[in-house]
Amino acid sequence: YKALCQGCGITVSGECEDPKVASWLLDPGCKEKTLQHLVGQYASSKMVILEGEVPCGSLTGSLALASQNTLSGRVRACTESVLVFSMMKKLRLDLVEDGLDYAFQKVEMPVMQCLVRMELNGFGFSEAECDRLKAILQAKLRTLEQEAYRLANHSFSLTSPDDVAREVLERLKSLHPLPRIILEWRRVNCALTKVVFPVQREKLFHKSLHMSRIYPTSQTHTTTGRVSFNEPNLQNVPRDFEIELPSVIAESPPLGTRRRENIQKPARSDHSGMSCAVSMRTAFVPCAGGVLLAADYSQLELRLIAHLADDSRLRKVLNGGGDVFRMIAGSLAGLEPGSVDDKQRQRAKQICYGIIYGIGAKALGEQLELGEEDASMYIEKFKSRFSGIRRYLKSTVEQCRKTGYVTTITKRRRYLPAVNSTHPH
């Protein structure tokens, strides 16, 4: 679809079938297979027509379209079409046998066509806005660096390993101002390195629209079925946040001097800087005369599990029309929703999503800043209040232990071979 559109200017309409997608549905945990591997697995009897056309041992790239082939492009294209057509006949039968034909035809392939159109259209990008955001973030980084060096009395690297630094810094930030400065520096630096620099590097100018656009590539071959994007990853754009910029911004010390040398403490200014809202999303813009529409599902995961678990009490709360998490918090605490404060609401939200994604008492306790026993009590209270959830979670695990996989409502499978393992991890 994409190759025809880009190379020939041809747009395909009607239903499409992709053998790679079909193979992935049948075995979502396997590595992405080349076309040759797929033909060898699903249409091996037809491989005879490739004799003399593909070098011996060649298992990468295209089939009859291999660059080493001396036949005309028309003959090679026809050869490959015959192989793919034969392969899809076998794949269709396997999809029907596993009950995946609906998921393939009505879910996955329409999604693939939608993703292709997204990749071809790209996303509008404002260079001026991105430059503005970069200047703000880099200025904030320099300010934070100077403050960190002042508090530590020497310069040092602020990019120490995440797994060690974050744990230590989170525990120390209430005892000393330096960890807070480092954590903020890392947040700002992440916005620069994960969003600003990649999108500036990947932008392309669209002559017809007279604007820069970003053309990410979608990745669908995952065991969970989750779609991701790369080059750049537009799903990794951070939420809006505020930073404070001083009226005078100091320069960072040279890279070669950032180790252990002592530095003079600059006097701390009593003048607070200006507050600046940073929204990375403002760099993504519509074309002239267009608009961007933002839409989101309301408590999607919670509504799904209420349906799957057939929990009448949770469904009643969700269909009540009020603030869902305030109502759940009131249900757990025996209060009217109007009497629930913001802290109780946030706690109920964390409990709901934590239980949906299988969080343990220890991890939930760390999120809620509670002891493990108290967190365990909240989990049990939720499951007792919404007993359908408890039954659904238990029956799902039991069924998975028997079959080795879980299924979605469209019969997609997620194989979990370690479900019966005695090893806790």
Side-chain angles (χ1 to χ4, degrees), residues 138-156:
Q138 288 179 326
K140 183 60 177 178
L141 277 186
R142 291 192 291 268
T143 305
L144 291 169
E145 286 169 359
Q146 286 295 329
E147 181 66 5
Y149 302 154
R150 183 189 71 80
L151 291 168
N153 199 28
H154 61 79
S155 59
F156 60 97

Side-chain angles (χ1 to χ4, degrees), residues 3 46 85 106 175 207 302 307 337 354 387:
K46 303 293 182 180
F85 184 77
K106 302 301 182 182
L175 305 176
K207 293 181 180 179
L302 203 58
H307 168 76
S387 56

Side-chain angles (χ1 to χ4, degrees), residues 200-251:
Q200 286 190 320
R201 187 169 57 246
E202 299 293 339
K203 69 180 186 295
L204 293 173
F205 188 76
H206 195 290
K207 293 181 180 179
S208 300
L209 296 176
H210 306 290
M211 67 183 303
S212 294
R213 296 185 74 82
I214 303 295
Y215 297 91
T217 303
S218 61
Q219 301 288 326
T220 56
H221 194 97
T222 60
T223 55
T224 61
R226 183 186 177 98
V227 178
S228 62
F229 287 87
N230 58 21
E231 297 179 356
N233 182 5
L234 294 185
Q235 292 171 306
N236 202 34
V237 177
R239 294 179 178 179
D240 300 353
F241 58 93
E242 286 195 1
I243 57 177
E244 189 175 276
L245 291 175
S247 54
V248 178
I249 301 170
E251 290 292 334

Side-chain angles (χ1 to χ4, degrees), residues 349-369:
K349 185 175 181 179
Q350 289 175 284
I351 293 170
C352 289
Y353 286 111
I355 290 173
I356 289 173
Y357 288 104
I359 197 170
K362 183 177 180 181
L364 181 63
E366 291 176 355
Q367 283 188 16
L368 301 178
E369 298 181 348

Side-chain angles (χ1 to χ4, degrees), residues 249-285:
I249 301 170
E251 290 292 334
S252 301
L255 287 174
T257 64
R258 289 190 180 186
R259 285 299 167 188
R260 283 284 178 181
E261 68 274 20
N262 290 332
I263 63 172
Q264 183 178 0
K265 288 186 181 181
R268 190 166 187 173
S269 174
D270 293 330
H271 301 288
S272 59
M274 58 179 181
S275 181
C276 179
V278 176
S279 175
M280 307 306 298
R281 290 169 172 79
T282 58
F284 300 97
V285 296

